[in-house]
Amino acid sequence: MPKPIIFYDIPGNVRGKLEAWSPNTWKTRFCLNIKGIPYKTVWVEYPDIEPLCKKLGLQPVEQWPDGSPIYTLPVISDPNTDTVLIDSAPIARYLDKTYPDGPRLIPADADALIAAFEDAFWGAFPRGSIAPLVYPAVYWHTLREKSKPYFRRTRENIGVNLAERTPEERVQHWALLQKGMHKVAEWLEADGAKKLLFMGDEVGITYADIIIAGLFMWFKKPFGEESQEWKDMLSWDDGRWGRFMAAFEKYEAVDEGEDLDV
């Protein structure tokens, strides 16, 4: 039996309950849960992510507009192979290679296709369709107090206004988000079949589907399962996204974990 992988995630406090909420870390959590790999969550507040990554010898994944490095999660540390990795896509490839038992996240010869899909997926959403909706919800209703100053500073530095939107603005932003998801639905059903998953039901859930599910979890946790916003999202495209997310429900397990010892 392998030792549990250490999985570093960003904590949320949603309606008084510890929750995972980040779309990128949810991609890795889904990968671990789908493959059935033992792991333990270590919760890391935003100000502690960069020191942690540097301590683990990891490089930044990208840069802020001013050229300063961005260190982010997910990160995994695998005691079975002495491997430390950052970023959800390399982690998915590593898990497939190192733990071949169980479902394959990226089917053979589909790596380039799924990598291209990830770029296309985020490009499907018009500017102003995601950040104005979800960032205020994350800031005001999800983050713990320790993470809020960092989140506010870094988001405002890239021009994101964290103020709650007016009802009129919210309608406009939700319409743009729905438009993007409709485009993705058209891609998945391009052959005329009502295909639920990226590579079809016979292949099952792949990393391409996990990318989509990560976005939905980004809205599900801050807004809440009983919110009208979440119910509306699931109803889009004749309910296909409700059926899609139902396929992920059994993989939404979140262990209690422990806070990073700083």
Side-chain angles (χ1 to χ4, degrees), residues 96 104-111 114 199 203 206-207:
D96 269 343
R104 189 177 175 97
L105 304 167
I106 302 177
D109 301 322
D111 203 324
I114 292 178
M199 299 195 72
V203 174
T206 66
Y207 186 68

Side-chain angles (χ1 to χ4, degrees), residues 192-260:
K194 294 291 185 181
K195 184 171 65 175
L196 189 64
L197 301 173
F198 181 77
M199 299 195 72
D201 295 344
E202 290 188 9
V203 174
I205 292 173
T206 66
Y207 186 68
D209 303 298
I210 291 170
I211 292 166
I212 301 171
L215 171 70
F216 272 86
M217 296 302 287
W218 200 10
F219 284 83
K220 179 179 182 178
K221 294 305 179 180
F223 285 94
E225 295 181 53
E226 299 304 317
S227 68
Q228 190 58 51
E229 291 91 344
W230 177 244
K231 293 175 181 178
D232 286 345
M233 288 184 75
L234 297 184
S235 72
W236 291 345
D237 296 299
D238 297 322
R240 72 129 27 237
W241 299 117
R243 298 188 295 275
F244 177 85
M245 288 306 296
F248 281 86
E249 287 180 354
K250 61 183 177 181
Y251 303 119
E252 290 185 18
V254 178
D255 62 312
E256 183 177 356
E258 63 182 31
D259 288 348
L260 179 70

Side-chain angles (χ1 to χ4, degrees), residues 150-168:
Y150 176 94
F151 189 87
R152 185 177 198 110
R153 173 174 55 82
T154 53
R155 272 55 186 178
E156 289 183 344
N157 283 349
I158 58 173
V160 176
N161 182 357
L162 294 178
E164 298 278 16
R165 297 308 193 262
T166 66
E168 294 78 12

Side-chain angles (χ1 to χ4, degrees), residues 1-6 37-40 77-82 99:
M1 186 72 173
K3 298 177 182 177
I5 286 175
I6 304 303
I37 300 171
Y39 68 92
K40 176 183 178 181
S77 177
D78 188 346
N80 303 291
T81 61
D82 293 323
Y99 300 93

Side-chain angles (χ1 to χ4, degrees), residues 107-126:
D109 301 322
D111 203 324
L113 175 64
I114 292 178
F117 171 77
E118 183 157 25
D119 278 349
F121 175 74
W122 293 110
F125 300 97

Side-chain angles (χ1 to χ4, degrees), residues 8-12 19-22 25 43-44 46 49 73 143 147:
Y8 296 96
D9 197 354
I10 305 168
E19 288 280 14
W21 62 269
S22 164
T25 58
W43 301 104
V44 186
Y46 267 109
I49 293 175
L73 300 183
L143 293 177
S147 284

